[in-house]
Amino acid sequence: MSANQPKKKIVLAYSGGLDTSCILVWLIEQGYDVIAFTADVGQDDDFEAAKQKALSLGAIKYVCLDLRRDFVDNYIFPAVQADAIYEDRYLLGTALARPCIASGIIRVASEEGASHVSHGATGKGNDQIRFELASYALCPQVEVVSPWRLPEFYERFAGRQALTPRRTISALPVTPKSPWSMDGNLMHISYESGILEDPKVEAPQDLCTMTKSPAEAPDQAVRISIRFEQGIPVKVKNLTTGEEITGSLELYTYLNKIGGEHGIGRVDIVENRFIGMKSRGVYETPAGTILRQAHIDIEVLTMDRELRRIKQRLALDFGEQVYRGFWFSPECKFLRDCIKRSQERVSGTVQLSLFKGGVHVTARDSEFSLYNQELVSMDVQGNYEPRDAEGFIRINALRLREYHRLQGDLDQS
């Protein structure tokens, strides 16, 4: 940037950690006026310390927005309605947070008259895609500066190992906290990189901070109930103590606490990044794990079988879209609308037992239940003629009999 040109304002997604502190100083070196922005999405950070660090490093302003309830209501709960999951195991905690954070940074950029935004995501990961797709969707004219993709930055700092006090910008008062990367929010904590990059190596026993090891969890199960209205959790009751919790943020925080105490929600997985490589991550998602189990149960009780088959296929696509950063795409909005429509009668109460890492559904009830006890009973015939099953079986067997009669010899050759 020429010395004669007026400085451009840039809003940096700032955590107060090593990466973004280095980036903040580097952006100032490039001639930007930097506004440091932190989104409070439930991470366990000292925001006042982050503010003081950002200002001491040269930021012209620090902004922190409390987006926790927005995150729960508008991102986590639609994922609960969808039973959203990626590659069978990842509950999308980071992927769901990124569009929420991006909406916050674009809001601040608009309010502050900033034409640029920046972030600390690396050039190999998913977060650069998620953050930038959301930013461009919300503000098509915005310009994004991604330092980890710029040679003048990554050739100076070859990677996170190079971000140490001796090799970073002078007098930068930051040091790495642990030999892995950690990202937390209200939904989960993720761990990757460093010593976790070798999938053959077990994660350290002291890695997890959100949940107890199942082996160290209480020897007595805790019993809870969760009330859903149209697929959204609205009340949690601790059946052991009688405590009741309402309010979206409050009940989600409570489930995190009680789930963490009982070792719920740990996974250690290898996943396929959108950009084309495999990565290893360790995730803790206590409340999300509990809610997914409970929601599936009440949904099966209240939703028609064929409708649910369609909804499950939509949910699979939804999970892929969220993972890949397309939250604000027209196709993702369409799927959210469809999934929300499917939840109109998914209301009721599920009872669960939490014990040493396990979530066990023990009972369920709903005013919209499609369960007919008399019809299904082995002791009462009800409005069902057993002889009708013979024709049902014969019709379904016709295809199988004809296939094996006409093609069976080829299959055995």
Side-chain angles (χ1 to χ4, degrees):
M1 191 177 294
S2 169
N4 296 324
Q5 289 180 317
K7 288 186 176 182
K8 293 181 179 179
K9 282 187 181 180
I10 189 167
V11 182
L12 170 65
Y14 183 71
S15 68
L18 186 59
D19 289 34
T20 53
S21 292
C22 288
I23 290 170
L24 191 157
V25 177
W26 183 83
L27 288 169
I28 294 171
E29 288 183 349
Q30 308 311 304
Y32 289 100
D33 280 335
V34 180
I35 299 167
F37 165 74
T38 301
D40 179 2
V41 286
Q43 68 272 38
D44 186 19
D45 286 348
D46 185 338
F47 300 118
E48 181 59 30
K51 175 182 178 180
Q52 295 306 318
K53 181 182 288 187
L55 295 176
S56 70
L57 292 174
I60 64 169
K61 189 173 183 178
Y62 175 84
V63 179
C64 181
L65 296 181
D66 184 351
L67 301 179
R68 292 174 299 165
R69 196 173 299 276
D70 177 47
F71 183 35
V72 176
D73 291 342
N74 297 314
Y75 299 89
I76 295 178
F77 279 179
V80 170
Q81 289 180 306
D83 304 318
I85 199 164
Y86 178 72
E87 292 188 339
D88 306 315
R89 296 178 292 179
Y90 174 45
L91 294 179
L92 299 162
T94 300
L96 288 164
R98 292 304 179 248
C100 180
I101 295 169
S103 68
I105 199 169
I106 292 299
R107 171 179 151 191
V108 170
S110 175
E111 291 173 351
E112 297 292 336
S115 58
H116 292 64
V117 297
S118 183
H119 59 83
T122 71
K124 290 186 176 181
N126 292 310
D127 281 344
Q128 58 177 335
I129 304 167
R130 295 163 178 162
F131 180 85
E132 294 182 33
L133 290 182
S135 296
Y136 289 131
L138 294 170
C139 184
Q141 71 273 20
V142 75
E143 295 188 47
V144 180
V145 178
S146 180
W148 281 114
R149 295 203 307 267
L150 297 174
E152 56 267 36
F153 185 86
Y154 68 70
E155 288 176 0
R156 183 175 178 183
F157 309 108
R160 281 173 170 156
Q161 291 294 331
L163 297 176
T164 60
R166 286 182 300 174
R167 298 184 64 182
T168 53
I169 296 141
S170 61
L172 187 60
V174 289
T175 55
K177 294 180 180 179
S178 55
W180 53 76
S181 173
M182 184 174 81
D183 182 73
N185 60 52
L186 191 65
M187 188 172 185
H188 83 171
I189 297 179
S190 65
Y191 309 86
E192 62 180 9
S193 190
I195 61 175
L196 299 175
E197 288 181 350
D198 186 346
K200 301 188 298 297
V201 176
E202 288 190 15
Q205 292 298 312
D206 62 348
L207 177 78
C208 292
T209 60
M210 198 176 190
T211 60
K212 286 185 178 180
S213 165
E216 298 173 358
D219 293 327
Q220 184 69 37
V222 63
R223 295 171 56 246
I224 65 172
S225 69
I226 302 175
R227 172 68 188 180
F228 289 88
E229 297 286 352
Q230 296 185 341
I232 298 293
V234 296
K235 182 172 74 173
V236 173
K237 182 174 182 179
N238 187 320
L239 300 177
T240 304
T241 66
E243 185 178 9
E244 293 188 1
I245 301 91
T246 58
S248 57
L249 177 59
E250 292 77 13
L251 71 82
Y252 200 88
T253 302
Y254 180 78
L255 288 176
N256 268 338
K257 177 177 178 291
I258 199 169
E261 290 173 353
H262 289 267
I264 307 299
R266 290 187 177 189
V267 294
D268 182 333
I269 64 174
V270 171
E271 68 196 66
N272 289 292
R273 288 180 179 171
F274 184 28
I275 206 164
M277 62 187 75
K278 294 183 186 291
S279 65
R280 189 260 191 103
V282 178
Y283 301 101
E284 299 178 271
T285 319
T289 300
I290 295 167
L291 287 173
R292 187 168 192 271
Q293 292 289 92
H295 180 267
I296 288 173
D297 195 80
I298 199 66
E299 186 175 86
V300 170
L301 182 70
T302 57
M303 188 178 289
D304 175 76
R305 180 188 69 185
E306 296 305 309
L307 172 58
R308 188 163 189 273
R309 286 181 64 191
I310 295 171
K311 185 259 181 180
Q312 284 179 291
R313 291 197 292 270
L314 296 179
L316 183 64
D317 287 342
F318 174 70
E320 294 270 353
Q321 290 168 9
V322 172
Y323 185 84
R324 295 179 176 188
F326 288 98
W327 180 272
F328 292 111
S329 68
E331 64 271 24
C332 192
K333 183 182 185 303
F334 174 76
L335 288 187
R336 292 199 301 275
D337 290 344
C338 290
I339 290 167
K340 183 178 180 180
R341 175 71 182 273
S342 78
Q343 301 293 293
E344 289 177 346
R345 291 178 176 265
V346 181
S347 300
T349 302
V350 182
Q351 293 183 25
L352 308 101
S353 171
L354 312 180
F355 183 65
K356 290 191 176 296
V359 180
H360 310 283
V361 175
T362 58
R364 75 287 293 159
D365 183 46
S366 171
E367 60 272 34
F368 298 114
S369 172
L370 297 178
Y371 186 92
N372 185 330
Q373 186 173 346
E374 181 179 282
L375 181 62
V376 79
S377 174
M378 301 298 289
D379 300 316
V380 180
Q381 182 170 326
N383 188 27
Y384 178 77
E385 175 53 62
R387 289 177 297 179
D388 291 344
E390 183 174 352
F392 179 81
I393 294 168
R394 283 184 174 275
I395 291 296
N396 279 279
L398 177 63
R399 175 178 62 89
L400 305 179
R401 294 170 73 176
E402 285 300 290
Y403 174 84
H404 286 282
R405 183 176 71 83
L406 298 172
Q407 302 292 333
D409 292 342
L410 292 176
D411 288 345
Q412 295 172 15
S413 62

